[in-house]
Amino acid sequence: DQQVKQNSPSLSVQEGRISILNCDYTNSMFDYFLWYKKYPAEGPTFLISISSIKDKNEDGRFTVFLNKSAKHLSLHIVPSQPGDSAVYFCAASADSGYALNFGKGTSLLVTP
Amino acid sequence: NAGVTQTPKFRVLKTGQSMTLLCAQDMNHEYMYWYRQDPGMGLRLIHYSVGEGTTAKGEVPDGYNVSRLKKQNFLLGLESAAPSQTSVYFCASSYSFLWDIQYFGAGTRLSVL
């Protein structure tokens, strides 16, 4: 049963505009959330994370927002660049658990 | 700066054959993981290790075995490959558990005919 859901398989955004990638989770025990970025033929690479004690974390063009009551997080990329075109995975973990739970990923295409 | 290295990168097996995937990390990480990624699916954890000589089952362990004889290496074995094991396999490592960033290898693409 998928505990981390990324309901949009793909997203297309123009260069310079904002990209918003969404992620929902069902397990209320999750307390740490991460976003990974994956290019074709490469492994995922860590992008940004947020713990449940925060509602926002920012790193350059990337900001992650967490809404615990809605069990929802989002990744904002501003401004979007063609090099941001990749698959983005949302992942979550619980202190009582043993692993990262990954969503299915959202493929982002940033067009010039 | 190699990070996490997986060998081989590609492999084609016939049903019933066996093989071992090797993962090596040079970051002195305690924790190592094997995931599989299938089309339309996220990464699913097969097995993991919290230190040299220890292994544990993840979400989808059936049909796989693992060994961590040395801290830097984590081996994933398929004793009798099945077409359902056609997938891309990723190895990852981290310094600590859960709250730390996992660093991934480039993956092994395995086809079982």
Side-chain angles (χ1 to χ4, degrees):
Chain A
D1 189 28
Q2 197 84 15
Q3 297 186 72
V4 177
K5 299 178 182 180
Q6 295 178 256
N7 293 319
S8 297
S10 62
L11 175 67
S12 183
V13 172
Q14 278 190 319
E15 182 178 6
R17 307 292 285 267
I18 184 172
S19 295
I20 300 176
L21 292 85
N22 294 305
C23 178
D24 297 293
Y25 61 96
T26 57
N27 188 341
S28 58
M29 299 300 291
F30 287 152
D31 50 13
Y32 190 56
F33 305 88
L34 307 92
W35 285 93
Y36 280 82
K37 177 180 179 179
K38 184 183 179 306
Y39 292 116
E42 294 183 11
T45 55
F46 170 75
L47 187 59
I48 192 169
S49 64
I50 188 168
S51 72
S52 59
I53 62 172
K54 292 186 173 183
D55 56 15
K56 177 183 174 181
N57 190 26
E58 202 169 348
D59 184 1
R61 297 185 296 112
F62 302 92
T63 303
V64 56
F65 296 92
L66 175 62
N67 183 333
K68 285 176 290 185
S69 61
K71 295 191 179 68
H72 176 84
L73 63 156
S74 61
L75 174 68
H76 292 211
I77 307 173
V78 184
S80 301
Q81 300 174 354
D84 296 330
S85 298
V87 177
Y88 290 79
F89 289 100
C90 173
S93 69
D95 193 31
S96 59
Y98 59 87
L100 284 177
N101 293 269
F102 282 86
K104 293 182 179 182
T106 296
S107 179
L108 172 66
L109 176 65
V110 180
T111 57
Chain B
N1 199 4
V4 179
T5 303
Q6 290 183 234
T7 52
K9 289 184 169 38
F10 304 95
R11 186 73 185 268
V12 178
L13 289 179
K14 294 181 180 179
T15 298
Q17 287 185 318
S18 63
M19 79 162 293
T20 300
L21 283 68
L22 172 64
C23 177
Q25 53 96 0
D26 62 2
M27 296 174 282
N28 201 33
H29 285 167
E30 288 291 338
Y31 302 90
M32 297 187 74
Y33 317 83
W34 275 107
Y35 292 89
R36 60 178 288 174
Q37 185 193 10
D38 301 299
M41 301 288 289
L43 282 79
R44 293 183 292 169
L45 185 67
I46 305 171
H47 285 280
Y48 64 101
S49 168
V50 301
E52 181 178 319
T54 72
T55 63
K57 294 180 180 180
E59 181 186 355
V60 288
D62 294 340
Y64 305 95
N65 57 75
V66 287
S67 64
R68 183 102 180 266
L69 299 179
K70 293 183 178 181
K71 184 177 183 180
Q72 63 267 33
N73 295 337
F74 195 28
L75 278 63
L76 178 71
L78 287 73
E79 289 189 350
S80 180
S84 61
Q85 294 177 303
T86 294
S87 189
V88 181
Y89 292 86
F90 290 101
C91 175
S93 70
S94 64
Y95 180 72
S96 62
F97 201 44
L98 292 177
W99 291 83
D100 202 3
I101 299 166
Q102 291 185 18
Y103 294 85
F104 285 81
T108 295
R109 185 173 294 275
L110 175 66
S111 293
V112 183
L113 306 178

